[in-house]
Every structure is written in structure tokens, then in C-alpha cells.
Amino acid sequence: MPTMSYDGLPRASASSVGVDPEHLIAFLDEVQAAGLDLQGLMLYRHGHVVAEGWSWPVDPNEPRVLHSMAKRFTGCAIGLAIEEGFLKLDDRLVTYFPDEVPADAAPRLADMTVEHLLTMRTGHASNTSGSVWRGLSTSWIAEFFKIPLAYAPGTEYVYTSAASYMLSALINRVTGQTLHDDHKPRLFIPRDIHNETWDIGPVGVNPGGNGVTAPVSAALKLAVLHAQDGLWNGQQILPAAWVRAATQPQGGPDSRYGYHWMMKPRPAFSALGVFVQMAAVYREHNATLVLVGGMKNSAEIVPSIERHFPAVLGEDRSVKPEADARLEQRLASMAERPSLISNCTAPEDSKRVFAMAENGLGVRQLSFEFAGDVLTFELTDSQTTHRVQVGIDHWLNGLTSMPGRALHHGYEFNNAQIVAGARWLDETTLEMTWIYPQTAFRDRVVCEFKEGGVSFARTVNVNSAGREQEVLVGKSL
């Protein structure tokens, strides 16, 4: 009998469903050799999870920020709204928001339809990232209608999260409830997805292009639902015709985009979020591959995926079951914990407090309290004092609200899980590593204590904007 796991999905060995373990190992080795930060993998075939691996300290039971994978949940809600008669593909957007359309709106704004939003052919010249709007407290609907139209709606493909936001706003208008409230009883609960949240914008609208935090298995279940034409455990959750339309090119002969689904990596269709949160469906091979990571963009890993998939799924019946053990060992190696070893003896217990020079981050004070092998680090800004406990030469799990929006794709994490460790590079230089295990982000902080002062340099592994903060300097109090 197949075993079950935390997500309610049955497990089986790779070879039992025709997956080549050695080929999958080769894919993992290639990704590692390229220095790509793969933080999680799940491979599903013929009704079973047949391979999964997680880098330390990622916990698959915990929710993860899925970024633009959220767009596919939004597409589901639109498909259901069309099926139930709330919307039509050729409905014009402005008819639903007469109170938000500016008086000086461009004439062709009136031509923008629901389908144009779904196919990312709004007429906009560039992407409006969720990281831009997350800092706004005013209506994002009003912001959408301020965006100039460089093209006639329906002509040029330009990926933009603003389009997905307006689809979410449409769900509010036609159903009287948020996208998440609409989804939960019809799409999340039937697939045994419970530990999820969805951010809310300033006018009570979920940002349809992002903002979902859910276990990675939720992304797998979403993709499998589409691989099965909307069928889940014998129940037709999504209209089959809608799923087929959504997962094939729309909008023109050169299109590689459907209704919020991407036509890559070849020959799959996929849900893709920034920093490579990916669910790729190989429909002809009855397989779905899910990856999560901390990479600059999908171009870094897609060539490796296309070299090994769908070849991994070649139904090679000569594969020997003992290869499964080698695959399991290789996947388990992803979870190896990096060591933390100082290059010198740690200084004696002490507390060091520094008044910071004027800076663009509004940081006023830093405090370092060393007690044995634990550092309590505090940062005081114009709002409050933020704290994180850090292990010296070991890792500590905790919670923190340390600010970092500019480094973290516009997200401000409040009471977020953190795994923090530090080591002394030399007698005056302390290196801290802050890992946010529910995200792609891993911060490196280097503090130099010299001549009665401190410098504080913080960088991040991956970001949509700058990866370095302004270096802060301060004097001892």
C-alpha cells in the first residue's frame, strides 16, 4: 500500500511509476553544479508523489510565500465566475468600475476586457509588480486606471501583476466577497488545503497576482487539478472546457501564455512565481513537477529542466528498484545543515549599544547582547525596536519582525519565522545569517566593531530590486 504524508497525497517509489531515478539525480546534480538555490522539489505521477526533497531549514508542512503562483488561483475564480454567469470573457472592465474610471481616461481604456486581463494584453507598456503596490495605502483600483496605455488592449503581451489584481477586484464586485473567501470552500477545502492565507489590499481586495502563503503541496494540487481537467477525487471542481482553454496559448499565434498559465518549460504548461516557485504540468506524461527556490529568474533553471524533462518520465521499464534508494539518499542530502564555525575565540559576554549616524533607513540604534553562545540583536528605528535571537556557531529558530521591505520584494514580515546563526570571521567582524524559511530570502549581515564604532552591512540572496542595504555606521554609547 502506498504511504500517505502531511498533505494527504499518496506516496510511491519513482521506479514503480516509470520515473528514472538516475536521470532525476542527474538533474539535481546539474542544478547544484550551476550554483542554483533549489529549496524544494516534488514530483507527482500517476496519482502519487514519487520524489521530494527540501533544503534545510524548509519545512513542507509550513506555508510558503508563493508569489505569482497566486495568479493561477485567480484564474480558477474567473473560470468559475464565467461558468456561473457572473462574467463573460468579452465584458468590458470599465463597466464594473464606473466610480473609479478617471474623467480624463484614454478612450481605448473602454476596450479592455476580462480576456485581455487574463492574457496579459492590457495595453500597458511594462509590468506593475506587487512589490510596487504593497507599499500603498490608497486604492489599487484607482492606481490601475492611472496606468497609461501604450498599446491597444488585446494586441501586445506584457506580463503585469496589475491585470491579476483587477481580476480579483472583479470577483469582489460580482460576488460580493473576496477572492480568498470565494476560493476557500470551493477550491482549497476540497483539496485538503487549510493552512493558507491571502493578503488584503487597502480596499478589501486580495492582490490576485500574489500574496498567497500556503504549503508547497497546495501548488502541486493546483497543478494536478489542471492536469486532470478540473477533476479532483471524482468531483468536477473546475469546468473542463475552462481548464483546457486556460492551459493552452491564447491571444495570438505567437503566444506562449494562456489564461494566467505559461507555456514553459517545453513541453509543459506552468504556474510560475518570482525567484522560481514553479509547478509544471507534463500532461501527456501524467506528471507534475514542483520546484521552489531562491533564484534570480526562471531562465537560470529552465534549460536544465528541459534537458531532463520529460526524459525523466520515459517509462523505462528496465529501471531497477535499487536506484530508488540512491534517489532517496540524494534527495535527503538537500537537507544537510550548513555548519557555523568561528575563525577565532568569541569575546566575553557583553552588551554593546551604538547610536547610528543619520541614514535613509531611519535606524537610530543597534544593540548586541552576547550571553554564552546566544546573541540578542536589536534594531531601533522610528517605529519600534525589532529583535532577533542569533546562535553563535549554531542555529536558533525564532520569530522576528525585523524590517527589510526593500530587500524582500516589497514584503514586510511581521512575527515571521526565522532561523538565525552567526560566526566570528575575525576578532572584530561578526557575520550573521538570517534565513526566512517560509520564503526565498536569506540575509547576510556583516558587523565590524572597530575604534568604538560599528558598521552594519546587510545583503540578501535574491530580490526583484537591490540586494544591498545602505551600510549603517554608529558610535558606541
Short mmCIF file of all heavy atoms in Angstrom, two decimals, residues 25 64 80 94 138 183 220 249 251 261 265 332 362 396 429 437-438 440 461 474:
data_model
loop_
_atom_site.label_atom_id
_atom_site.label_comp_id
_atom_site.label_asym_id
_atom_site.label_seq_id
_atom_site.Cartn_x
_atom_site.Cartn_y
_atom_site.Cartn_z
N ILE A 25 18.44 12.19 -10.51
CA ILE A 25 19.65 12.53 -9.77
C ILE A 25 20.55 13.42 -10.63
O ILE A 25 21.13 14.40 -10.14
CB ILE A 25 20.41 11.26 -9.34
CG1 ILE A 25 19.62 10.50 -8.26
CG2 ILE A 25 21.81 11.60 -8.83
CD1 ILE A 25 20.17 9.12 -7.94
N ARG A 64 4.34 28.74 2.64
CA ARG A 64 5.42 29.46 1.97
C ARG A 64 4.83 30.57 1.11
O ARG A 64 3.74 30.40 0.53
CB ARG A 64 6.23 28.50 1.09
CG ARG A 64 7.43 29.15 0.36
CD ARG A 64 8.14 28.13 -0.50
NE ARG A 64 9.24 28.72 -1.25
CZ ARG A 64 10.50 28.79 -0.83
NH1 ARG A 64 10.82 28.30 0.36
NH2 ARG A 64 11.45 29.33 -1.59
N LEU A 80 -14.73 29.99 -12.76
CA LEU A 80 -15.98 29.65 -12.09
C LEU A 80 -17.01 30.77 -12.24
O LEU A 80 -18.20 30.51 -12.44
CB LEU A 80 -15.71 29.38 -10.61
CG LEU A 80 -14.99 28.07 -10.28
CD1 LEU A 80 -14.55 28.05 -8.82
CD2 LEU A 80 -15.86 26.87 -10.60
N VAL A 94 -14.36 48.56 -17.61
CA VAL A 94 -14.82 49.84 -17.06
C VAL A 94 -16.27 49.79 -16.63
O VAL A 94 -16.69 50.57 -15.76
CB VAL A 94 -14.60 50.98 -18.07
CG1 VAL A 94 -13.11 51.20 -18.33
CG2 VAL A 94 -15.36 50.74 -19.37
N THR A 138 -3.52 53.66 -0.55
CA THR A 138 -4.66 54.15 -1.32
C THR A 138 -5.17 53.06 -2.25
O THR A 138 -4.56 51.99 -2.38
CB THR A 138 -4.27 55.39 -2.14
OG1 THR A 138 -3.11 55.07 -2.93
CG2 THR A 138 -3.91 56.56 -1.22
N HIS A 183 -12.74 31.33 -2.86
CA HIS A 183 -11.94 30.13 -3.14
C HIS A 183 -12.05 29.06 -2.06
O HIS A 183 -12.09 27.87 -2.37
CB HIS A 183 -10.46 30.53 -3.24
CG HIS A 183 -9.96 30.66 -4.64
ND1 HIS A 183 -10.65 31.27 -5.63
CD2 HIS A 183 -8.79 30.24 -5.21
CE1 HIS A 183 -9.95 31.25 -6.74
NE2 HIS A 183 -8.82 30.63 -6.51
N LEU A 220 1.18 22.10 -5.87
CA LEU A 220 1.11 20.81 -6.57
C LEU A 220 -0.33 20.43 -6.84
O LEU A 220 -0.69 20.02 -7.95
CB LEU A 220 1.81 19.74 -5.74
CG LEU A 220 1.71 18.32 -6.28
CD1 LEU A 220 2.41 18.20 -7.62
CD2 LEU A 220 2.30 17.31 -5.29
N PRO A 249 -2.15 28.19 -25.41
CA PRO A 249 -1.89 29.57 -25.80
C PRO A 249 -3.15 30.31 -26.21
O PRO A 249 -4.01 29.78 -26.90
CB PRO A 249 -0.93 29.42 -26.98
CG PRO A 249 -0.29 28.09 -26.80
CD PRO A 249 -1.36 27.22 -26.18
N GLY A 251 -4.55 34.45 -27.38
CA GLY A 251 -4.19 35.82 -27.73
C GLY A 251 -3.43 35.98 -29.02
O GLY A 251 -3.15 37.11 -29.41
N TRP A 261 -1.79 31.01 -17.32
CA TRP A 261 -0.83 29.91 -17.30
C TRP A 261 0.22 30.15 -18.37
O TRP A 261 -0.09 30.67 -19.45
CB TRP A 261 -1.52 28.55 -17.55
CG TRP A 261 -2.29 28.06 -16.37
CD1 TRP A 261 -3.57 28.37 -16.03
CD2 TRP A 261 -1.82 27.16 -15.35
NE1 TRP A 261 -3.93 27.74 -14.87
CE2 TRP A 261 -2.89 26.99 -14.43
CE3 TRP A 261 -0.62 26.50 -15.12
CZ2 TRP A 261 -2.76 26.17 -13.30
CZ3 TRP A 261 -0.50 25.68 -14.00
CH2 TRP A 261 -1.56 25.52 -13.11
N PRO A 265 8.20 25.20 -18.85
CA PRO A 265 9.24 24.81 -19.81
C PRO A 265 8.70 23.80 -20.82
O PRO A 265 7.82 22.99 -20.48
CB PRO A 265 10.31 24.20 -18.92
CG PRO A 265 9.55 23.67 -17.74
CD PRO A 265 8.42 24.63 -17.52
N ALA A 332 17.61 13.35 0.21
CA ALA A 332 17.84 13.62 1.63
C ALA A 332 19.04 14.53 1.84
O ALA A 332 19.07 15.32 2.80
CB ALA A 332 18.04 12.31 2.39
N GLY A 362 16.22 55.13 8.58
CA GLY A 362 15.60 55.57 9.83
C GLY A 362 16.05 54.79 11.04
O GLY A 362 15.38 54.81 12.09
N LEU A 396 19.54 29.09 15.62
CA LEU A 396 18.41 29.24 16.53
C LEU A 396 17.15 29.52 15.72
O LEU A 396 17.15 30.37 14.82
CB LEU A 396 18.64 30.41 17.49
CG LEU A 396 19.43 30.16 18.77
CD1 LEU A 396 19.47 31.44 19.60
CD2 LEU A 396 18.81 29.03 19.59
N THR A 429 35.00 41.15 13.48
CA THR A 429 33.99 41.03 12.43
C THR A 429 33.05 39.86 12.71
O THR A 429 33.48 38.70 12.78
CB THR A 429 34.64 40.83 11.05
OG1 THR A 429 35.61 41.86 10.84
CG2 THR A 429 33.57 40.90 9.95
N PRO A 437 12.58 30.81 6.48
CA PRO A 437 12.33 29.52 5.84
C PRO A 437 11.00 29.42 5.10
O PRO A 437 10.81 28.48 4.32
CB PRO A 437 12.38 28.53 7.01
CG PRO A 437 12.05 29.33 8.22
CD PRO A 437 12.61 30.69 7.96
N GLN A 438 10.09 30.35 5.31
CA GLN A 438 8.82 30.33 4.58
C GLN A 438 8.87 31.19 3.32
O GLN A 438 7.85 31.42 2.68
CB GLN A 438 7.69 30.81 5.50
CG GLN A 438 7.43 29.86 6.67
CD GLN A 438 6.35 30.38 7.60
OE1 GLN A 438 6.43 31.49 8.13
NE2 GLN A 438 5.32 29.58 7.78
N ALA A 440 11.81 32.76 0.01
CA ALA A 440 13.05 32.52 -0.74
C ALA A 440 14.24 33.24 -0.14
O ALA A 440 15.38 33.02 -0.57
CB ALA A 440 12.86 32.98 -2.18
N ASN A 461 20.09 37.16 -0.62
CA ASN A 461 20.46 36.24 -1.69
C ASN A 461 19.78 36.55 -3.01
O ASN A 461 20.34 36.36 -4.09
CB ASN A 461 20.15 34.79 -1.27
CG ASN A 461 18.68 34.55 -1.01
OD1 ASN A 461 17.96 35.44 -0.54
ND2 ASN A 461 18.20 33.34 -1.28
N GLY A 474 27.81 53.57 13.22
CA GLY A 474 27.40 54.14 14.50
C GLY A 474 28.55 54.21 15.49
O GLY A 474 29.61 53.60 15.28
#
